[in-house]
């Protein structure tokens, strides 16, 4: 992996041009000075921090999905309330994520990510023992707040510390995120049994991993001078910052809707897929492993898909291929959920790799670093708002229909517009050009 990163760095140094962003990174604006190198010890700490942080960005969600039935019974939740619980992650990501850039400007990205990891630690420790549904939701929101700000700032940290290795570091980050997601889904149920069978301990144990992620950021918070200088901001002729009018770009809107629909599918999967298998007669431990298989598909594909996407002039064919996998997987869940469980888990795992594809297209659809930052913030905040109703609606349909037919039909139906807007977002154009023409 490190050899690949080194070779990519050498290749970029030899070929950097003022072209739109690709897997090789986003070019700096004309006339700007290159970012001075950071201290070697700080760079190593940042790599460790990125990996540990990425490992913690989903276990709070997938560990709950594996034990959702036990949590519902223990807290007396209805199906609708459980659906609300699965809608909390995107709500928190949309609400708290928009505060991350402002916090980073004031305190620095490393300090905010460090605080985010501390918030995850506290939330995961508190929520199993909060004593009721309201307390459980509040503590979950605390942990998700930490995840939200880290979600937004991790690409900023990658861009600032590794401007010539954005592709490799994003792949490393995406792989660690998928690994943490799948590991929590796979081992939460057996780990709960090993700890005595109480769902409280099975959820609280993940606070230890979050606490470990605090440590590498502490020296960086204390020594902010070790960080590279921030990228210069493009200004208008009057000297003021010249923000991009991102809402004028059709590609930005298509990418935001694509991000929202793929997030909807992902959070429905993380929150409900294990329960679908369990209701079909699959044992709880096996259902957790099936969810883990779905999540772990993102580990290798997080490297493959971004590199393939940057080599194509149009990413629409990848969007369509992922969508077809999703449609076949949902059809299998409807027709033979237990009989072909492993095949459906693999297919849905492939479909859920629309997430690294969306991140890659964010970098490719903007020409400058400032444009990438604005497009990322717009696509993620708008996308997570779009994704909020999906998991809740699945819970309501499940409770009132008494089965999974209607919820699965909803999941399959949402895949069609996801394919359509993803195809539009994959066209070879930049938001700067579209906003400038508007």
């Amino acid at each position: 992996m490190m050899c690949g990163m080194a070779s990519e760095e050498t290749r970029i140094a030899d070929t950097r041009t003022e072209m739109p962003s690709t897997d090789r990174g986003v070019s700096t604006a004309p006339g700007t000075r290159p970012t001075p190198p950071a201290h070697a010890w700080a760079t190593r700490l940042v790599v460790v921090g990125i990996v540990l942080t990425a490992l913690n960005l989903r276990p709070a969600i997938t560990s709950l999905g594996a034990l959702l039935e036990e949590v519902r019974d223990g807290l007396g939740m209805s199906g609708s309330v459980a659906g609300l619980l699965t809608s909390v992650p995107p709500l928190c990501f949309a609400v708290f994520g928009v505060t991350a850039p402002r916090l980073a400007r004031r305190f620095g990205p490393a300090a905010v990510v460090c605080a985010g990891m501390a918030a995850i630690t506290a939330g995961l420790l508190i929520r199993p023992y909060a004593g009721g549904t309201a307390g459980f939701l509040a503590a979950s929101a605390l942990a998700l707040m930490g995840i939200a700000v880290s979600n937004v700032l991790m690409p900023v940290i990658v861009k600032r510390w590794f401007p010539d290795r954005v592709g490799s570091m994003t792949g490393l980050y995406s792989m660690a995120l998928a690994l943490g997601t799948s590991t929590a889904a796979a081992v939460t149920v057996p780990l709960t049994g090993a700890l005595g069978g109480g769902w409280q301990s099975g959820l609280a144990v993940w606070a230890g991993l979050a606490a470990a992620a605090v440590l590498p950021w502490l020296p960086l918070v204390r020594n902010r001078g070790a960080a590279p200088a921030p990228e210069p901001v493009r200004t208008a002729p009057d000297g003021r910052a010249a923000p991009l009018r991102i809402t004028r770009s059709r590609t930005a809107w298509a990418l935001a809707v694509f991000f929202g629909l793929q997030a909807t599918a992902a959070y429905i999967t993380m929150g409900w897929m294990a329960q679908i298998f369990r209701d079909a007669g699959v044992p709880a431990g096996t259902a957790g492993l099936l969810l883990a298989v779905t999540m772990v598909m993102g580990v290798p594909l997080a490297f493959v898909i971004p590199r393939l996407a940057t080599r194509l002039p149009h990413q629409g064919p990848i969007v369509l291929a992922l969508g077809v996998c999703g449609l076949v997987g949902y059809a299998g869940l409807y027709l033979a959920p237990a009989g072909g469980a492993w095949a459906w888990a693999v297919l849905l795992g492939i479909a859920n790799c629309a997430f690294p594809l969306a991140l890659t297209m964010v970098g490719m659809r903007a020409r400058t670093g400032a444009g990438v930052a604005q497009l990322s913030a717009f696509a993620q905040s708008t996308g997570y708002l779009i994704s909020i109703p999906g998991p809740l609606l699945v819970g309501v349909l499940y409770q009132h229909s008494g089965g999974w037919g209607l919820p699965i039909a909803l999941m399959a139906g949402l895949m069609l517009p996801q394919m359509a807007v993803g195809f539009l977002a994959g066209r070879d154009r930049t938001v700067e050009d579209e906003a400038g023409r508007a």
Side-chain angles (χ1 to χ4, degrees):
M1 180 186 302
M2 295 305 295
C3 292
M5 290 166 61
S7 64
E8 182 181 10
E9 184 174 9
T10 302
R11 185 174 67 250
I12 297 161
D14 294 337
T15 61
R16 180 176 293 173
T17 59
E18 299 302 324
M19 295 298 290
S21 167
T22 69
D23 188 51
R24 294 186 292 271
V26 181
S27 62
T28 56
T32 62
R33 293 178 300 167
T35 300
H39 297 304
W41 66 266
T43 302
R44 289 191 289 268
L45 273 181
V46 171
V47 173
V48 174
I50 287 172
V51 172
L52 287 176
T53 298
L55 287 171
N56 280 280
L57 294 182
R58 295 298 180 269
I61 303 168
T62 53
S63 62
L64 176 60
L67 293 174
L68 185 58
E69 183 173 313
E70 288 77 7
V71 173
R72 286 176 56 191
D73 293 341
L75 297 179
M77 290 184 184
S78 66
S80 297
V81 174
L84 175 64
L85 186 61
T86 58
S87 295
V88 168
L91 174 62
C92 290
F93 294 166
V95 172
F96 297 120
V98 296
T99 68
R102 182 178 300 176
L103 292 172
R105 286 193 297 269
R106 181 170 181 180
F107 301 106
V112 179
V113 172
C114 183
M117 294 299 104
I120 297 173
T121 304
L124 294 184
L125 278 175
I126 294 170
R127 75 174 181 177
Y129 309 104
T133 300
F136 189 94
L137 288 170
S140 295
L142 175 62
L144 293 166
M145 177 176 63
I147 297 174
V149 295
S150 301
N151 271 339
V152 173
L153 293 181
M154 290 306 291
V156 175
I157 289 174
V158 167
K159 174 65 178 170
R160 183 172 177 181
W161 283 82
F162 308 97
D164 295 330
R165 289 178 282 167
V166 172
S168 293
M169 293 307 300
T170 301
L172 180 65
Y173 158 77
S174 299
M175 183 183 70
L177 189 151
L179 184 62
T181 303
S182 58
T183 300
V187 308
T188 295
V189 170
L191 192 58
T192 300
L195 294 174
W199 60 266
Q200 291 89 346
S201 58
L203 294 181
V205 71
W206 295 103
L209 182 62
V214 175
L215 301 179
W217 298 109
L218 292 176
L220 297 168
V221 173
R222 289 196 297 265
N223 190 356
R224 293 181 63 177
E231 183 185 54
V233 178
R234 182 170 58 92
T235 58
D238 61 3
R240 296 181 300 174
L244 181 68
R245 295 183 178 181
I246 198 72
T247 56
R248 294 187 175 186
S249 168
R250 294 181 179 179
T251 297
W253 280 107
L255 190 52
V257 176
F258 176 68
F259 194 96
L261 291 175
Q262 68 81 27
T264 299
Y267 287 109
I268 290 174
T269 298
M270 285 187 280
W272 290 107
M273 198 178 83
Q275 190 64 49
I276 293 174
F277 285 127
R278 292 179 70 170
D279 286 352
V282 177
T286 303
L289 286 175
L290 288 165
L291 179 59
V293 167
T294 299
M295 299 296 106
V296 83
M297 293 302 299
V299 176
L301 293 179
F303 277 106
V304 175
I305 289 178
R307 283 157 174 75
L308 177 61
T310 57
R311 286 161 173 77
L312 295 176
H314 193 315
Q315 291 72 49
I318 305 178
V319 172
L320 297 180
L322 296 179
V324 169
C325 289
L327 290 174
V328 175
Y330 289 135
L333 279 183
Y334 182 84
L335 297 172
W342 295 101
W344 318 141
V346 169
L347 287 169
L348 292 175
I350 296 172
N352 278 348
C353 287
F355 174 70
L357 177 60
L359 292 181
T360 304
M361 288 197 292
V362 166
M364 298 181 70
R365 297 287 86 86
R367 182 180 296 112
T368 64
V372 170
Q374 284 189 257
L375 178 58
S376 177
F378 176 74
Q380 291 201 45
S381 60
T382 304
Y384 282 127
L385 285 173
I386 291 172
S387 70
I388 291 171
L392 175 60
L393 185 56
V394 166
V396 172
L397 290 175
Y398 172 57
Q399 180 177 2
H400 290 283
S401 68
W404 287 106
L406 285 178
I408 292 173
L410 173 66
M411 300 176 206
L414 291 176
M415 186 60 68
L416 298 176
Q418 176 181 321
M419 295 165 68
V421 294
F423 191 88
L424 293 176
R427 295 174 297 174
D428 187 12
R429 57 195 63 195
T430 63
V431 294
E432 287 93 348
D433 290 340
E434 292 186 341
R437 291 194 302 267

